[in-house]
Amino acid sequence: MAKLFFRYGAMNSGKSTAILQVAHNYEERGMNVMLVKPKVDSKGDDKVIARIGIDRQVDILAEESLNMREAVLNWKDKVNCVLVDEAQFLTQRQVDELFELTVKDNIPVICYGLRTDFQTKLFPASERLFALAHSLEELKTICRCGKKAMMNARKVNDKFVFEGDQVAIDGSQEVTYESLCGSCYYKEQTSSIE
């Protein structure tokens, strides 16, 4: 039976590098993968870009209205595995459709994404992935202090911010992110109030 996987981690934990490696592994064995990313993720336009300098064009830029299951089943080639980058930006309905793809159509789906936003709140799609995924795997990265980073702190014009819209794409409008441990996150939050 195929499974729905959710591989999550803080920013800079190697999610995009991992998805490109998995795509390569499938294709090296003569299998077809479908690489998907939500259209709202404008970073890299229609590509998955890894910080180590590799990239790949996606097969589908998923609009919110896209039915994921239908898109895969109606694809021009047989799909052996669906790979989703930035899965936190999907809709909850799309996560349900990916789950159906695994259990009804026996096609594995591997989603990579963030668990929480810069305010430590679950993304709606991540919440649904935690509820439905057959397998959960945390990809780890480290904070500037050396501890495990699990928070995604947002900076605007190089200053930490803790209020705003849930979605602000890295690299757009002077927005950047830094992966922090809980201690460093709360230190920055406290110092931004003072």
Side-chain angles (χ1 to χ4, degrees):
M1 180 183 107
K3 294 182 180 179
L4 173 62
F5 298 84
F6 184 34
R7 296 177 178 164
Y8 64 94
M11 301 205 50
N12 301 323
S13 60
K15 296 179 297 297
S16 295
T17 302
I19 200 171
L20 295 175
Q21 181 65 50
V22 170
H24 173 78
N25 291 347
Y26 268 90
E27 291 170 341
E28 190 175 49
R29 287 158 182 80
M31 296 181 191
N32 295 319
V33 297
M34 176 185 279
L35 188 56
V36 178
K37 98 175 187 179
K39 188 171 184 176
V40 70
D41 178 31
S42 57
K43 184 177 180 181
D45 297 316
D46 64 348
K47 293 183 179 177
V48 171
I49 298 177
R51 289 179 299 121
I52 63 170
I54 57 175
D55 63 54
R56 178 180 169 149
Q57 187 167 350
V58 299
D59 297 302
I60 293 181
L61 275 175
E63 301 265 0
E64 285 186 13
S65 61
L66 179 73
N67 181 306
M68 298 296 291
R69 184 171 179 233
E70 286 179 8
V72 174
L73 295 178
N74 294 325
W75 193 246
K76 61 183 187 258
D77 299 313
K78 177 185 183 233
V79 177
N80 297 105
C81 183
V82 177
L83 302 172
V84 182
D85 196 33
E86 304 294 352
Q88 74 274 4
F89 296 139
L90 295 173
T91 66
Q92 290 188 331
R93 176 189 49 78
Q94 288 172 322
V95 172
D96 289 349
E97 292 161 358
L98 291 171
F99 179 72
E100 288 178 30
L101 198 59
T102 64
V103 298
K104 293 180 179 178
D105 306 299
N106 203 35
I107 298 173
V109 177
I110 308 173
C111 294
Y112 292 81
L114 300 174
R115 177 178 59 174
T116 58
D117 65 15
F118 75 110
Q119 294 176 317
T120 71
K121 295 178 182 164
L122 281 171
F123 284 95
S126 299
E127 179 180 19
R128 196 70 185 133
L129 281 161
F130 274 106
L132 293 178
H134 296 95
S135 176
L136 300 168
E137 180 184 348
E138 183 179 16
L139 303 178
K140 296 172 180 72
T141 191
I142 57 170
C143 178
R144 60 187 175 201
C145 71
K147 294 179 188 171
K148 181 179 109 170
M150 54 186 285
M151 309 296 197
N152 302 301
R154 180 183 291 170
K155 292 180 176 179
V156 175
N157 296 320
D158 212 33
K159 293 188 189 303
F160 286 100
V161 296
F162 296 89
E163 293 181 1
D165 293 336
Q166 186 174 50
V167 177
I169 304 300
D170 187 22
S172 63
Q173 302 172 348
E174 304 302 322
V175 174
T176 58
Y177 290 88
E178 184 177 345
S179 303
L180 298 173
C181 69
S183 297
C184 289
Y185 178 88
Y186 287 119
K187 282 179 194 170
E188 292 296 343
Q189 189 178 49
T190 300
S191 65
S192 75
I193 296 169
E194 297 171 349

